[in-house]
Amino acid sequence: MARVLSLFRPLPLLALVGRRKPALCKMSMDSRAREVFAAAVEAVQPDTVVRQSIERKEDSVVIDGHKFTLKHNLHLVGFGKAVLGMAAEAERIVGDHLVKGVISVPHGIQQTLQQHGKGHLLLKENSRIKVMEGAKHNLPDADAQNAAEGIRQLASELTERDLLLVLISGGGSALLPAPIPPISLQEKLDVTRKLAAAGATIQELNTVRRALSFLKGGGLAHHAHPAQVVALILSDVIGDPLDLIASGPTVKSKVWPEEILSILERYKLLDSLPASVRDVLGRPGPRWKDNKDESDTPAHVLNAVIGSNSVALKCAGRRARELGFRPVVLSPGVCGDVKSVSRLYGLLARFASSREEPPPEIAAELLRLGPEVGVETWDLCRTMQVLDEMRMEGWGATCLLAGGEPTVELTGKGRGGRNQELALRVGLELGSLNLPPNGPVFLSGGTDGQDGPTEAAGAITDGGLCDEAQSQGLDINSCLTNNDSYTFLSRLSDGKRLLVPGLTCTNVMDVHMLLIPAVPINIR
């Protein structure tokens, strides 16, 4: 492979005029990493993103550049883990024109918010919005199905004079189960579980879910026609694809039985289908007849992503700059196995920390790894160029930011999650580098505040991890084999490396952060 760094030309001297180094900060690297993560989470709070997306102008609102008139014609529905806070803020802004609302939220969420001092995310006592809790353990259940029916009924009663505000966040699919009769909820669950166990892709799973549902795949917007529909979406999916977030209830997608049967046949599930599913899939044509003035891209529907991993990373970068770092965003779409992802971050740390020009083998391996972990070659080249310029020009400390949702191969029965395991694996990768404050620090945290079945959102590690563990009689490798990262980190130095932000009330996947101090370089 050609020498990648030969493409990276230093910036002209005049281009550097006026650049000022960030102010020095006396906080530890660990503390600054936690501050930057907190800023990422704060940026995508449910009330914050709604407040920033709805501009009230007397008897009208402007959303995503579109103006809508309010004449006591506003109705509201919502479904998702963060929707209660979204609905509370929406009612504060446009509640004087709100006629009625129904939201489907996780079981126990109101009590949990109250206990954690998050009363500002609760509806007021005289609210016109009905709250229905369900989907215990994040699984569709009878309560969630009742809520979905209430939402469908509200939407079906609207006229062309009405405005329907739809609030959507992660977890919305489980909170909006509406199987097409005679399919039962359990039968629909069984089909999708068998597909998942057989190795079906997320696209295939969503295609089947939509085919068996009244409200997914544009069904909610269809039932609300001819009312104007405006959906505000807090995304928890890489790339923010509107048809995948909560299975796209406001995004029209045609589903044909032949396509579904082909998927089921591919995974040898045709013979085990319930009679009800066979009945629905045996019906000719699409799930419903289009209204006369409905097109493939209905003019009466506006979908706006108001919060995402990219938004969180942008605000995290702003806070990093305040704390003395130059922020660099790698990608909001990191995925793939944590072993490969940790290798990527280890290589980037070595590249940025080199006192001399990094060997071309590092850049070559980075470019090979990129596609495997969801990072575009262009993004890697851009990031390496910026890191090289920062190092050569002496720009000071760097904060490399990324986001996404890596995966963990389960080989044990321990307690932990992808963020804690990723942090441990990156800590091992950093073992050959200096310790803080002269060496890099890595943080991985889930913006929902929970990493697997633990109270932690993630962890913070550095090159001293291995020696610290050995001095305390802890074995990192056996912990990783057993997927027991939480137990290990809880015992290590009394859990000081754990990231425990508490209830965050939001979810835009994970935030990864690599803090790299200024490196004295050798110029030949």
Side-chain angles (χ1 to χ4, degrees):
M1 179 181 288
R3 191 175 180 83
V4 176
L5 293 185
S6 65
L7 300 175
F8 301 164
R9 295 184 176 88
L11 292 179
L13 180 61
L14 289 177
L16 300 175
V17 173
R19 283 199 173 126
R20 297 184 343 200
K21 293 184 180 180
L24 294 175
C25 179
K26 295 183 179 180
M27 294 170 61
S28 70
M29 296 275 277
D30 179 288
S31 296
R32 283 189 278 179
R34 294 174 189 272
E35 284 271 327
V36 174
F37 178 77
V41 172
E42 183 61 32
V44 287
Q45 285 296 294
D47 56 333
T48 300
V49 293
V50 168
R51 185 164 56 250
Q52 292 175 344
S53 63
I54 301 179
E55 182 183 358
R56 178 67 185 269
K57 292 186 176 181
E58 297 180 349
D59 287 341
S60 66
V61 289
V62 177
I63 298 175
D64 198 29
H66 297 76
K67 187 175 182 180
F68 303 99
T69 302
L70 299 173
K71 292 183 179 179
H72 302 287
N73 58 343
L74 179 66
H75 297 73
L76 183 150
V77 297
F79 29 92
K81 294 180 180 179
V83 155
L84 188 57
M86 295 171 74
E89 187 62 26
E91 190 168 31
R92 275 190 278 272
I93 298 170
V94 292
D96 53 327
H97 286 274
L98 181 62
V99 178
K100 184 181 180 182
V102 178
I103 58 174
S104 178
V105 298
H107 176 81
I109 185 67
Q110 295 176 97
Q111 182 179 355
T112 300
L113 289 174
Q114 196 72 58
Q115 291 173 344
H116 285 78
K118 305 280 187 176
H120 63 288
L121 299 178
L122 294 170
L123 295 169
K124 55 188 180 183
E125 289 186 8
N126 59 343
S127 173
R128 290 191 174 94
I129 301 171
K130 182 179 181 180
V131 180
M132 302 183 73
E133 296 187 357
K136 191 179 291 187
H137 308 305
N138 200 31
L139 294 172
D141 56 18
D143 290 333
Q145 189 169 355
N146 289 335
E149 174 56 27
I151 288 171
R152 186 200 65 79
Q153 185 174 346
L154 184 153
S156 300
E157 295 171 352
L158 302 180
T159 70
E160 68 276 3
R161 297 186 299 274
D162 293 314
L163 173 63
L164 179 64
L165 185 61
V166 183
L167 307 176
I168 303 174
S169 75
S173 187
L175 287 159
L176 196 72
I180 299 173
I183 301 174
S184 71
L185 180 59
Q186 188 59 50
E187 287 172 332
K188 182 183 172 185
L189 277 173
D190 287 344
V191 170
T192 53
R193 280 174 177 164
K194 287 179 181 178
L195 266 176
T201 66
I202 185 63
Q203 289 82 5
E204 290 170 330
L205 283 169
N206 274 291
T207 298
V208 173
R209 281 196 196 106
R210 287 194 293 262
L212 306 181
S213 173
F214 257 138
L215 299 180
K216 294 178 171 63
L220 177 59
H222 173 82
H223 281 85
H225 188 273
Q228 173 67 52
V229 176
V230 178
L232 303 183
I233 303 167
L234 185 59
S235 171
D236 68 335
V237 181
I238 288 176
D240 309 329
L242 297 175
D243 61 325
L244 292 188
I245 304 168
S247 298
T250 56
V251 182
K252 186 174 182 179
S253 59
K254 290 184 177 180
V255 175
W256 301 97
E258 296 82 3
E259 182 184 9
I260 309 307
L261 292 172
S262 174
I263 293 173
L264 294 168
E265 184 177 18
R266 188 176 307 141
Y267 295 100
K268 297 179 173 57
L269 294 176
L270 274 180
D271 293 339
S272 61
L273 284 181
S276 59
V277 175
R278 288 180 178 277
D279 176 23
V280 169
L281 295 181
R283 299 171 188 173
R287 289 170 293 170
W288 53 67
K289 293 181 180 179
D290 287 342
N291 296 301
K292 290 182 179 179
D293 57 342
E294 267 193 299
S295 63
D296 287 339
T297 53
H300 75 290
V301 179
L302 171 65
N303 289 295
V305 175
I306 62 173
S308 65
N309 193 269
S310 294
V311 171
L313 295 182
K314 181 179 179 180
C315 292
R318 191 177 302 139
R319 182 62 178 138
R321 188 177 292 277
E322 293 170 354
L323 293 173
F325 295 96
R326 291 278 183 175
V328 182
V329 175
L330 172 64
S331 169
V334 176
C335 56
D337 190 88
V338 290
K339 295 175 185 176
S340 299
V341 175
S342 64
R343 180 62 178 160
L344 181 91
Y345 289 132
L347 289 167
L348 283 168
R350 286 168 55 196
F351 182 94
S353 300
S354 178
R355 288 173 175 262
E356 300 177 348
E357 185 176 308
E361 292 79 13
I362 294 181
E365 189 174 353
L366 280 167
L367 294 176
R368 181 190 63 78
L369 269 176
E372 190 177 323
V373 297
V375 181
E376 298 286 345
T377 299
W378 164 250
D379 285 326
L380 273 173
C381 286
R382 170 186 53 80
T383 299
M384 284 190 284
Q385 180 174 1
V386 173
L387 291 176
D388 197 49
E389 289 168 355
M390 288 181 170
R391 186 178 57 84
M392 294 295 294
E393 301 294 340
W395 285 7
T398 304
C399 175
L400 181 68
L401 291 160
E405 206 164 78
T407 55
V408 173
E409 180 185 358
L410 294 178
T411 56
K413 297 182 179 180
R415 294 184 67 202
R418 60 179 179 266
N419 286 286
Q420 293 166 80
E421 184 155 328
L422 177 60
L424 287 182
R425 291 188 180 278
V426 174
L428 292 178
E429 292 281 345
L430 300 180
S432 62
L433 301 177
N434 290 333
L435 301 183
N438 300 315
V441 167
F442 179 79
L443 176 150
S444 183
T447 55
D448 62 353
Q450 291 182 307
D451 187 38
T454 76
E455 64 174 2
I460 303 174
T461 55
D462 55 53
L465 176 69
C466 200
D467 288 343
E468 186 179 332
Q470 288 179 349
S471 69
Q472 297 175 34
L474 297 173
D475 185 351
I476 297 179
N477 291 320
S478 65
C479 140
L480 291 172
T481 301
N482 195 33
N483 300 120
D484 204 18
S485 54
Y486 178 73
T487 302
F488 175 89
L489 287 161
S490 297
R491 293 174 179 170
L492 183 69
S493 303
D494 297 322
K496 72 173 185 179
R497 291 182 179 271
L498 284 170
L499 179 66
V500 189
L503 183 70
T504 66
C505 309
T506 191
N507 182 19
V508 293
M509 302 182 291
D510 305 334
V511 169
H512 305 155
M513 187 188 320
L514 189 60
L515 300 185
I516 305 163
V519 179
I521 60 172
N522 297 327
I523 301 178
R524 295 179 180 177

